[in-house]
Amino acid sequence: TELFPNAKVMNCNSNFEPNDLLETFDFENGSPTYKPSPLFLAMNRGETVILDEINLLTRDCLRSLQAFLDNKECFEFKVGVLL
C-alpha cells in the first residue's frame, strides 16, 4: 500500500464465492444487509484496488474477475446493476 496509498484493499480467501467479489455482508442496525465491496466501489469510481491473497481465490472467482477486467465497457452484476 506504500505505492498506492489511496488504494482500496480487499482481503480474499478460499471461501469466496464469485458474488463476494462485488458485495459484502454486514449488519446495519441489527439487520443483515449487503453492501458494495471494495472492488465494486473501485471499479465504479475508477480507483485502484489491491486484491490481497488473490492466489487463494477459487477458479470460479478468477473467471468472474476475468469477466470484469476483459476490456468490456459494461458488466451486468445483477438485474439493473451495471458496472
Side-chain angles (χ1 to χ4, degrees):
T1 58
E2 289 178 15
L3 293 176
F4 302 100
N6 297 324
K8 305 279 185 219
V9 177
M10 184 165 183
N11 296 310
C12 302
N13 65 62
S14 59
N15 295 319
F16 263 34
E17 298 285 331
N19 63 320
D20 294 331
L21 293 170
L22 296 179
E23 60 187 6
T24 58
F25 180 79
D26 199 3
F27 284 95
E28 190 172 294
N29 298 324
S31 299
T33 183
Y34 286 94
K35 294 182 177 183
S37 73
L39 175 63
F40 183 97
L41 294 173
M43 287 177 13
N44 273 329
R45 298 175 183 162
E47 298 172 343
T48 302
V49 65
I50 297 171
L51 298 174
D52 191 26
E53 301 288 347
I54 192 174
N55 58 307
L56 297 178
L57 291 177
T58 64
R59 227 176 236 201
D60 288 339
C61 285
L62 293 174
R63 281 191 208 122
S64 293
L65 268 178
Q66 181 183 7
F68 307 153
L69 305 173
D70 204 14
N71 288 328
K72 295 179 182 174
E73 288 184 26
C74 189
F75 176 83
E76 186 168 13
F77 166 50
K78 292 181 177 181
V79 176
V81 179
L82 301 176
L83 295 177

